[in-house]
Amino acid sequence: MIFNNVDFDTYFKHYPNAEGYFGKYGGAYISDELKQAMQEINEAYFTICKSTKFINELRSIRRDFQGRPTPITHLDRLSNALGNVQLYVKREDLNHTGAHKLNHCMGEVLLAKFMGKKKVIAETGAGQHGVALATAAAHFGLECDIYMGTVDIAKQAPNVARMKILGANVVEVTHGLATLKEAVDAAFDAYTREYKDAIYCIGSVLGPHPFPMMVRDFQSVVGFEARAQFKEMTGELPDAVVACVGGGSNSMGMFAGFLNDPVDLYGVEPLGRGTALGDHAASLTYGTEGIMHGFNSIMLKDENGDPAPVYSVASGLDYPSSGPEHAFLHDLGRVKYDVINDEETIDAFYTLSRMEGIIPAIESAHAVAYGMKLAKTMGRGSVLMCLSGRGDKDMDYVIEKFGMR
């Protein structure tokens, strides 16, 4: 399929290019010393991703340790309540550790082991990436440092406990807003000091090349599984695919399976409390081109052109930019990016829980809310949503902040 002069038949061969660009987005805006480290990671990745031994080990891990493939569930009661459109969810909440994050963490730690590294470093917001990386580090016997903002530590106490039980060192980040952006800053600073012995396992399709590409590749298992499963279940492809977007790893993985199909793709950003700067984290909807954390993308900026303060009820979505591939697909128009606010998100959180017996992560509830809204505008058809994680981590916070509904 050719869309706006981009041939999606050969898309993954050409995007990103050798310098890590998706059109004008991406790249590696880092020191020369770190560029050399990233080049070593890039070369190691391209060595092992073509290796039968690595591919077979990763497949075995996904099957025997992670529990893949994760299923697709038809939301029969919710579909009937909304009308004639049939709703489905890809169940990444049933992936080991409760979210999609382990898909790339196992691959990244395998890479670290191949490169002879002794430690893995990462940031986390909602805690799912931290838990996944701590799990992978424990599985392979590597040290693990997880940087997490004070605000998110308080909101995500169960995941903090899980990381510590798994043997990770959770480093509290107290400066600035003390959320995801600051955690990334701190993890990046640590990596610049320790890159000879450690690898920074970025938690999304973000950062300098090759991480947006690598994380997408590892997460694409979600989309390619979902495409095959949906076709087997229904005999056709879904009319629409929906996923939440913060940095964008679950959505990029989901979209990867459908980019070359006549399927509408929707990326859902957090509108939070409203459109005022500082009340949301919808960078693709309200941002402009800018560089942060080593890559060029679309970002929210303050009056000085620096990354703006952001907010989302979902700790995993409160980041002032999105992955460069999302910015590219946004400009192409191949993916439509839209927003869902906090109130709609919490309504969807309770609706899915009560009607289908599935408690979603607050991040995933953004996609569910949008899928429900989309279904009401369609006369017929089907919507497949990525349920990127389970909501165990969020239950106490939701009840405390929003009450039992």
Side-chain angles (χ1 to χ4, degrees):
M1 180 177 76
I2 296 177
F3 190 94
N4 279 355
N5 298 319
V6 172
D7 186 353
F8 282 96
D9 284 329
T10 58
Y11 177 82
F12 295 107
K13 290 184 178 180
H14 300 296
Y15 296 97
N17 66 12
E19 289 74 43
Y21 284 95
F22 302 86
K24 63 181 177 179
Y25 302 111
Y29 296 82
I30 49 179
S31 68
D32 289 341
E33 196 171 18
L34 276 185
K35 279 185 180 178
Q36 183 178 348
M38 290 297 168
Q39 184 58 34
E40 291 172 1
I41 292 171
N42 190 50
E43 291 175 0
Y45 173 69
F46 276 108
T47 297
I48 65 172
C49 77
K50 303 297 182 183
S51 161
T52 299
K53 181 180 178 182
F54 174 80
I55 292 169
N56 287 339
E57 186 171 1
L58 190 57
R59 285 175 177 171
S60 176
I61 287 168
R62 286 174 171 170
R63 182 187 66 242
D64 302 328
F65 184 69
Q66 293 183 230
R68 303 203 70 88
T70 58
I72 286 178
T73 298
H74 177 212
L75 305 179
D76 186 58
R77 292 188 65 227
L78 183 56
S79 300
N80 291 338
L82 294 175
N84 295 322
V85 175
Q86 299 304 302
L87 297 173
Y88 298 80
V89 283
K90 174 63 170 166
R91 300 292 304 278
E92 289 303 289
D93 60 314
L94 298 180
N95 194 35
H96 181 45
T97 73
H100 68 292
K101 294 291 187 179
L102 197 61
N103 299 331
H104 66 258
C105 285
M106 295 304 289
E108 287 177 327
V109 178
L110 259 180
L111 178 64
K113 186 178 178 183
F114 173 81
M115 295 178 70
K117 303 296 184 182
K118 300 175 182 178
K119 179 192 284 188
V120 289
I121 296 169
E123 82 297 328
T124 195
Q128 288 298 147
H129 175 59
V131 169
L133 191 66
T135 299
H139 184 76
F140 289 109
L142 273 67
E143 296 176 48
C144 181
D145 287 349
I146 304 293
Y147 290 79
M148 190 172 190
T150 302
V151 172
D152 295 331
I153 285 175
K155 287 170 66 175
Q156 306 294 343
N159 275 344
V160 175
R162 292 169 77 194
M163 285 183 267
K164 291 179 178 179
I165 288 171
L166 289 161
N169 176 33
V170 180
V171 183
E172 183 174 359
V173 179
T174 60
H175 67 274
L177 294 178
T179 56
L180 182 56
K181 186 262 180 188
E182 289 75 25
V184 176
D185 290 340
F188 228 99
D189 287 344
Y191 179 60
T192 60
R193 299 189 299 269
E194 302 182 60
Y195 68 88
K196 291 182 179 179
D197 297 314
I199 186 171
Y200 180 14
C201 296
I202 294 175
S204 194
V205 285
L206 302 169
H209 179 66
F211 279 95
M213 172 189 67
M214 289 196 326
V215 175
R216 175 202 68 188
D217 291 352
F218 288 135
Q219 287 294 344
S220 67
V221 65
V222 178
F224 288 112
E225 274 183 11
R227 187 185 188 280
Q229 291 168 321
F230 197 91
K231 202 158 188 182
E232 183 178 357
M233 288 175 72
T234 67
E236 59 187 14
L237 295 175
D239 293 288
V241 171
V242 179
C244 66
V245 180
S249 57
N250 91 93
S251 45
M252 202 59 249
M254 188 70 166
F255 296 158
F258 298 93
L259 283 173
N260 197 35
D261 293 314
V263 173
D264 294 330
L265 305 177
Y266 295 90
V268 185
E269 295 193 292
L271 186 60
R273 297 180 291 247
T275 59
L277 195 65
D279 282 344
H280 65 84
S283 57
L284 294 165
T285 304
Y286 296 105
T288 56
E289 185 178 353
I291 296 170
M292 66 178 291
H293 292 150
F295 68 103
N296 182 46
S297 187
I298 298 175
M299 60 182 276
L300 294 166
K301 302 175 186 176
D302 63 18
E303 63 275 7
N304 299 316
D306 296 322
V310 293
Y311 160 80
S312 172
V313 69
S315 296
L317 301 182
D318 58 356
Y319 187 73
S321 186
S322 288
E325 191 165 10
H326 281 293
F328 179 60
L329 294 172
H330 169 272
D331 286 5
L332 278 181
R334 178 63 190 94
V335 179
K336 179 182 178 182
Y337 293 89
D338 208 342
V339 294
I340 283 291
N341 64 32
D342 283 359
E343 187 61 30
E344 294 169 309
T345 297
I346 299 303
D347 282 346
F349 176 91
Y350 277 111
T351 298
L352 186 65
S353 300
R354 301 268 168 82
M355 296 199 72
E356 296 289 349
I358 301 170
I359 303 174
I362 300 179
E363 291 78 11
S364 311
H366 283 75
V368 175
Y370 193 84
M372 291 166 57
K373 181 182 283 190
L374 183 64
K376 293 176 183 177
T377 70
M378 299 166 58
R380 58 185 179 182
S382 57
V383 178
L384 174 61
M385 301 167 287
C386 185
L387 197 73
S388 55
R390 67 184 183 219
D392 306 46
K393 65 184 178 62
D394 298 313
M395 292 187 297
D396 291 344
Y397 173 75
V398 169
I399 292 169
E400 179 183 346
K401 185 171 179 62
F402 298 97
M404 188 69 74
R405 299 187 178 182

